[in-house]
Amino acid sequence: MALDGCGLVCKYTLFIFNLLFALVGFAFLGIGLWLRFSQGTRGIFEIEALNSSAFVMAVTVLITLGTVMLIVVVFGDYGACNEKRCALQVFSALLSILAIADITVGVIGFSNKAAVGKHIVEFYSSMYGLYVTGGDPVIGVTLVFIHSVLHCCGVTGFKVLELANDTCPAAKAVWENIKMPGCPAIILSVFDSKAQLMLGIFIGTGVLLCIALICSITLSKKICLSNSPQYIVLTQATSVMSQHGLVSTSYPDPYPYPDPVVFTPLSVANIPLAQS
């Protein structure tokens, strides 16, 4: 028995969800591995310098999260495309863990937004120091993007003092040719003002994970129903004549056993005697 409409909707929803999940997982894993083994950033894992603890933690989280997401995608795609209940059950369990962890991290981060902001500043300082000492072009592009989005310039903001002023954005006013906002202060200010938005993103991601979890559970139940044996109940059929012709009707037999045999008692007088 094939899947019904609800089962097919859940199946294709999971396929699209896993496709997007795989793209994000590959991106996280690729960025994490590049930051871990790149020529310009490899030394930061060997030498405790440049306030590297936040940088190392961020890279470790990227690699771990990307790997877990790809493992989840493998179970999800295999279970949905091949209609395997066992794989869908593992997929559902992993999604439950991810949804709980996602919402928990969002709530904890929002409750400790000041400490989280300091860690982000520490991560930025590590990236800035790596670019100044190594001149990695990829880190330079990253700094250009950060400076352009936040409209800030380096650690101090003074272009004369900044060693990476080539990554600073163009000045929008005359005085910005001398002094622009420093990025650490801007990062703290933006993170504090956008903390509710970040919490909403975490909660929204958790809701999407819960929707995928509901689809996975529903698809698993539909697969179970479609694989269950089907029984056909045979009933007695009769045909009756109506004014429009012959009509066939079916109804269950109220007495499913054979008709009983009725024995009629015989009188001895009615039995002829054999003549001698």
Side-chain angles (χ1 to χ4, degrees):
M1 181 179 176
L3 294 173
D4 57 6
C6 181
L8 290 176
V9 169
C10 291
K11 180 177 180 178
Y12 291 116
T13 300
L14 285 180
F15 177 78
I16 296 174
F17 171 82
N18 285 315
L19 180 61
L20 298 176
F21 217 56
L23 293 177
V24 177
F26 275 119
F28 284 172
L29 183 61
I31 294 173
L33 291 176
W34 170 76
L35 291 175
R36 176 63 181 85
F37 298 104
S38 174
Q39 190 68 29
T41 58
R42 185 186 307 171
I44 201 170
F45 293 88
E46 302 172 356
I47 302 174
E48 189 67 27
L50 299 176
N51 297 322
S52 61
S53 60
F55 182 83
V56 173
M57 184 182 301
V59 172
T60 304
V61 168
L62 284 175
I63 295 176
T64 305
L65 185 58
T67 304
V68 171
M69 291 177 70
L70 292 179
I71 293 174
V72 172
V73 167
V74 169
F75 282 103
D77 269 342
Y78 177 74
C81 295
N82 296 285
E83 299 181 4
K84 300 295 183 180
R85 292 189 63 213
C86 182
L88 286 175
Q89 289 171 354
V90 177
F91 176 71
S92 300
L94 294 175
L95 276 185
S96 302
I97 296 173
L98 284 179
I100 295 173
D102 175 78
I103 297 176
T104 302
V105 169
V107 172
I108 294 176
F110 180 77
S111 303
N112 301 275
K113 53 185 178 181
V116 175
K118 291 180 180 179
H119 284 297
I120 296 177
V121 171
E122 185 180 339
F123 176 76
Y124 168 80
S125 300
S126 300
M127 295 283 289
Y128 185 86
L130 286 172
Y131 178 72
V132 170
T133 57
D136 193 316
V138 179
I139 298 180
V141 172
T142 306
L143 290 177
V144 169
F145 175 77
I146 295 174
H147 293 163
S148 299
V149 171
L150 299 179
H151 194 69
C152 59
C153 180
V155 178
T156 63
F158 289 97
K159 289 190 174 182
V160 179
L161 301 177
E162 291 297 332
L163 300 176
N165 53 11
D166 57 322
T167 62
C168 295
K172 294 183 178 180
V174 177
W175 60 85
E176 287 187 349
N177 291 317
I178 302 174
K179 173 69 168 66
M180 295 185 70
C183 290
I186 294 295
I187 290 173
L188 288 175
S189 175
V190 170
F191 185 81
D192 184 69
S193 61
K194 303 295 183 181
Q196 293 182 350
L197 176 61
M198 297 298 295
L199 177 62
I201 292 175
F202 275 96
I203 294 178
T205 304
V207 171
L208 291 178
L209 292 174
C210 290
I211 293 175
L213 176 61
I214 294 173
C215 288
S216 177
I217 296 174
T218 303
L219 180 59
S220 179
K221 291 183 178 180
K222 293 296 183 180
I223 293 173
C224 180
L225 291 176
S226 65
N227 292 335
S228 60
Q230 304 295 320
Y231 298 97
I232 300 176
V233 180
L234 299 177
T235 60
Q236 290 183 345
T238 59
S239 298
V240 296
M241 289 295 298
S242 68
Q243 60 180 355
H244 299 290
L246 185 64
V247 178
S248 177
T249 61
S250 299
Y251 57 90
D253 190 1
Y255 191 83
Y257 302 100
D259 294 333
V261 178
V262 180
F263 295 93
T264 304
L266 299 176
S267 174
V268 177
N270 295 331
I271 300 177
L273 300 175
Q275 297 181 359
S276 56

